[in-house]
Amino acid sequence: MSWESLPLELYEHIFKNLNFWDRKPLSLVCRRWNQVVFSRSLCRQLCIELSRGDWGPSGDKEQVVLVDEAVVKESERDYRVAYVKWCTDSGPEVLRSISRLLRKLEGKCLLEGLIIDAPLGQMMSDFLHTHGELLTRIRKLQVSTETIDNRLLMERCVLKMGQLETLFWREVSSHDFLQNESPLIVIEAPKLHSAVVKFGDSDSGRGAVWHNSVMELRDSACLKALKVHLHQRMWNRFFEQKLETLEHLTIAHKTQDLRSRDWNAVFCNMPNLKSIQMWEANDAILEAINRHCRKLRVLLLENADIIGFLLEDRHFPLLEHLRLETAKIQSNKTLHLPILKHLEWFNVVNQNNQTLILAAPMLRSIRQSRNGASDFTLSCKPPLEKLQLDLYASDIPGHFFQPFPNMQELSIRVSSARPDLDRMIPYFRSIKEFTLIAYNAPLQCDQMLNEIFKNCNDVKAMTLCGFNPNLELSFPVFAQIFRNRNLKSLKMFGLTITGKSFPLQLPPELETFELRHVKVMDVAFGAYVFSPDEPHRVICIKSENCCSYSSKDCD
């Protein structure tokens, strides 16, 4: 049976394994394939655009060009999501046209989602009131809105969205303070599972203009995940309700708002939280989390000032993942994390040269940056499997100079430091993946690689990366790398190789090989380092003092 004679149902069964953007080019093959790609059964997640905003070349003129009404009328596709947009200068007739097209689309398709991209104002209020019946039925709502005025003139909307499950609401304002005393849009969504409410495009709030939110949630008894930007006067009534189903909470707010909220009252209403991510945190927040969130498994904190909380021994019995980034702490006590598996510890300063004791006997992976004196130490040897260590003006932490027989991945990033890497390697005999990155100061790595050749017999992937290039090794050591028959992946960037070169054969076991921006001191290097035997026909391309080679160059 030929491809042309296959039944449409079989095509649909094949094409449904691809997402729409992978399927779309197939629609150009022939009319039959186009029919399948845009069939009802495969188009349920497609979004139809009912309006499109156009801006003049100078950026000061806005207009809305509506999608041809015939597209909606004649389409056989089963659209489930509609996209509408209007601009600051759009007139009432634009909104009437959008509403007419939306009603026609509702008659043809069972809409499940709505995307609104429009400025805040009376037109937004009119649109929401006009389509209140549709809003009661949709399961997904996405709103991107902005205002350039510090006082909004629009009627207050209370949206009863009984079927809403997912909400994304993005506000942009050019003013730090919108003079609305209470939310102008209230969403009542008893079946809401996840909500994202933020200013601008940044999850962390950097660069966002903070203002009293235009929208607020109400009656969200089923909410499981919430990501929100908080102004000090925002969502106070929301956090007063019992949120027993909430499991994942992400909060970004300003430093000066830390003391403006009763965090005990907030977290006591969330007894089942499993994951918390916060930008800006202090002792009061940590005290409240530790007291009320006894089921917490993930705690991610950035820009934290934790001086008093760790002045006594602390215990998080169920925590599995902890990240502390850009933080000040003060402690020489013990932090008990009995089932912690993943630790991320970046740019943490333990004041007064104190050292926090970390009791984490189940720790599997560590990502740690060091810049100066030791800020924490492990109280026992955990079964580490993965280590990423960023070293600045500091040495390797002392607790890594002991055997780690379970270690699989070792990654070292060095900047302006000369750590004793070769003395560290023998403790990681079982590593399968090794990465070394040197940022600033030149790093001579002959001795370290020799230790790897001597002690680590199961390395399957190796990445060596320098800049300028500033990672130095001699040609004999460079050649030794290719004698490892277990090596499946080798990537080397920014190297300076010294010494007389001689022909090398790429091992047939090597599946991935990249050699880029390598400065060589021997002029013969680029010509014949890798002998041109099968299957590697294209070997090395030399340009001035650097050569480039990639496995994709091979036939």
Side-chain angles (χ1 to χ4, degrees):
M1 181 180 291
S2 65
W3 274 94
E4 291 78 8
S5 57
L6 289 177
L8 293 180
E9 293 79 12
L10 186 55
Y11 279 119
E12 291 177 359
H13 182 73
I14 296 172
F15 289 171
K16 74 178 181 180
N17 295 309
L18 305 173
N19 63 40
F20 174 72
W21 296 109
D22 291 332
R23 292 198 305 263
K24 190 175 179 182
L26 302 178
S27 66
L28 304 176
V29 173
C30 62
R31 184 173 298 177
R32 187 174 178 81
W33 283 32
N34 182 277
Q35 182 182 357
V36 176
V37 168
F38 292 105
S39 63
R40 285 184 176 271
S41 62
L42 294 182
C43 287
R44 296 183 56 147
Q45 300 304 316
L46 288 184
C47 175
I48 184 169
E49 185 178 0
L50 299 186
S51 54
R52 180 172 54 254
D54 289 345
W55 284 262
S58 62
D60 57 357
K61 182 181 179 181
E62 295 179 308
Q63 59 179 337
V64 168
V65 179
L66 289 173
V67 172
D68 189 348
E69 192 167 339
V71 174
V72 176
K73 184 177 181 180
E74 299 176 6
S75 175
E76 295 298 324
R77 301 171 189 173
D78 193 12
Y79 293 106
R80 294 303 175 96
V81 180
Y83 172 90
V84 299
K85 176 175 183 175
W86 62 88
C87 307
T88 304
D89 294 340
S90 301
E93 70 283 354
V94 169
L95 198 59
R96 287 194 293 269
S97 298
I98 292 175
S99 296
R100 184 177 66 251
L101 288 175
L102 190 56
R103 289 193 184 96
K104 288 189 175 183
L105 188 64
E106 285 183 70
K108 292 176 61 67
C109 306
L110 183 61
L111 285 178
E112 297 178 348
L114 182 62
I115 301 173
I116 304 173
D117 188 353
L120 282 166
Q122 189 58 42
M123 287 185 68
M124 171 73 80
S125 178
D126 292 343
F127 178 86
L128 296 175
H129 280 118
T130 300
H131 297 283
E133 185 178 346
L134 171 63
L135 293 173
T136 63
R137 299 196 306 266
I138 63 171
R139 296 191 296 111
K140 301 176 183 178
L141 175 63
Q142 178 176 324
V143 178
S144 296
T145 185
E146 62 181 311
T147 179
I148 59 175
D149 300 320
N150 64 347
R151 181 181 290 276
L152 288 173
L153 301 176
M154 60 181 290
E155 295 180 16
R156 189 169 186 264
C157 297
V158 178
L159 306 180
K160 299 182 181 296
M161 306 185 69
Q163 302 301 317
L164 189 68
E165 297 176 0
T166 305
L167 171 67
F168 177 90
W169 187 283
R170 172 178 171 265
E171 295 180 3
V172 180
S173 174
S174 59
H175 296 272
D176 289 332
F177 179 61
L178 288 177
Q179 297 179 17
N180 53 302
E181 295 300 325
S182 61
L184 297 176
I185 299 174
V186 177
I187 296 179
E188 296 181 359
K191 293 185 178 181
L192 187 66
H193 286 174
S194 65
V196 177
V197 184
K198 65 179 184 177
F199 305 136
D201 295 316
S202 172
D203 282 338
S204 68
R206 293 192 182 100
V209 177
W210 296 89
H211 57 273
N212 193 24
S213 179
V214 174
M215 188 278 292
E216 188 167 307
L217 290 177
R218 186 185 296 171
D219 187 19
S220 301
C222 295
L223 193 64
K224 289 188 175 182
L226 173 64
K227 179 183 289 187
V228 61
H229 286 192
L230 280 180
H231 183 274
Q232 60 181 351
R233 296 198 303 127
M234 284 172 55
W235 291 42
N236 291 321
R237 300 173 88 189
F238 175 83
F239 287 110
E240 290 174 358
Q241 64 180 312
K242 203 71 172 176
L243 298 167
E244 294 187 347
T245 61
L246 193 64
E247 296 181 356
H248 309 284
L249 176 65
T250 301
I251 293 180
H253 56 169
K254 296 192 297 183
T255 305
Q256 51 266 42
D257 294 342
L258 284 172
R259 294 179 176 85
S260 63
R261 198 177 296 272
D262 184 352
W263 294 104
N264 256 319
V266 170
F267 286 108
C268 73
N269 289 323
M270 308 176 190
N272 294 308
L273 273 181
K274 295 180 180 178
S275 171
I276 298 176
Q277 182 173 7
M278 294 190 70
W279 287 271
E280 310 294 344
N282 62 3
D283 291 323
I285 292 175
L286 265 293
E287 289 280 2
I289 291 174
N290 187 242
R291 180 178 296 113
H292 301 291
C293 305
R294 306 305 294 174
K295 297 181 180 180
L296 193 66
R297 295 185 179 275
V298 178
L299 180 60
L300 312 177
L301 302 177
E302 182 177 340
N303 201 16
D305 199 350
I306 309 169
I307 303 301
F309 178 76
L310 292 173
L311 289 179
E312 58 182 270
D313 293 347
R314 294 292 183 172
H315 189 248
F316 285 89
L318 299 180
L319 200 64
E320 296 180 359
H321 184 181
L322 171 63
R323 183 172 76 212
L324 198 58
E325 182 173 356
T326 312
K328 294 179 181 179
I329 67 173
Q330 182 174 332
S331 178
N332 57 3
K333 299 295 183 178
T334 301
L335 179 59
H336 295 277
L337 304 168
I339 66 170
L340 188 74
K341 295 181 176 64
H342 309 289
L343 175 65
E344 299 177 84
W345 193 274
F346 299 113
N347 300 322
V348 179
V349 177
N350 197 339
Q351 297 183 344
N352 301 326
N353 293 322
Q354 297 191 42
T355 301
L356 174 70
I357 300 172
L358 190 65
M362 303 300 292
L363 196 58
R364 300 284 181 177
S365 71
I366 296 180
R367 296 178 61 200
Q368 181 184 359
S369 68
R370 283 285 306 278
N371 189 357
S374 177
D375 40 35
F376 83 90
T377 185
L378 296 173
S379 64
C380 59
K381 184 178 72 173
L384 275 182
E385 298 175 354
K386 184 176 180 180
L387 171 63
Q388 176 184 313
L389 194 57
D390 297 356
L391 302 171
Y392 298 97
S394 59
D395 295 324
I396 298 170
H399 46 246
F400 292 125
F401 289 100
Q402 56 180 321
F404 287 96
N406 298 320
M407 183 67 68
Q408 302 292 310
E409 300 178 31
L410 177 60
S411 177
I412 307 293
R413 289 159 168 78
V414 181
S415 178
S416 301
R418 293 184 177 276
D420 199 359
L421 294 175
D422 52 298
R423 192 168 67 87
M424 176 188 183
I425 294 298
Y427 297 105
F428 300 90
R429 293 176 179 270
S430 301
I431 58 172
K432 291 180 170 60
E433 298 183 24
F434 176 73
T435 300
L436 176 65
I437 299 176
Y439 288 106
N440 297 321
L443 182 66
Q444 219 294 330
C445 55
D446 275 11
Q447 190 170 350
M448 182 208 64
L449 289 175
N450 280 325
E451 290 295 326
I452 289 180
F453 302 147
K454 183 170 63 176
N455 296 285
C456 308
N457 300 317
D458 201 24
V459 177
K460 291 180 170 57
M462 180 178 290
T463 300
L464 303 176
C465 182
F467 294 85
N468 299 327
N470 62 352
L471 200 58
E472 301 176 355
L473 70 159
S474 63
F475 189 84
V477 175
F478 174 82
Q480 179 69 20
I481 296 174
F482 296 90
R483 299 192 183 103
N484 181 0
R485 293 296 175 175
N486 292 324
L487 205 60
K488 304 294 183 184
S489 173
L490 178 61
K491 300 177 182 180
M492 295 187 284
F493 315 99
L495 273 65
T496 297
I497 301 176
T498 61
K500 186 174 178 57
S501 64
F502 50 83
L504 293 175
Q505 174 66 56
L506 288 175
E509 298 84 2
L510 199 60
E511 298 172 358
T512 301
F513 177 47
E514 294 185 32
L515 180 70
R516 299 183 185 275
H517 305 292
V518 175
K519 183 179 180 181
V520 294
M521 309 309 291
D522 185 349
V523 294
F525 181 91
Y528 64 87
V529 164
F530 306 105
S531 57
D533 296 338
E534 294 289 348
H536 305 286
R537 295 176 183 171
V538 180
I539 300 301
C540 196
I541 304 170
K542 184 179 179 184
S543 175
E544 297 179 354
N545 289 329
C546 293
C547 68
S548 294
Y549 174 93
S550 174
S551 54
K552 69 181 181 181
D553 296 326
C554 299
D555 293 338

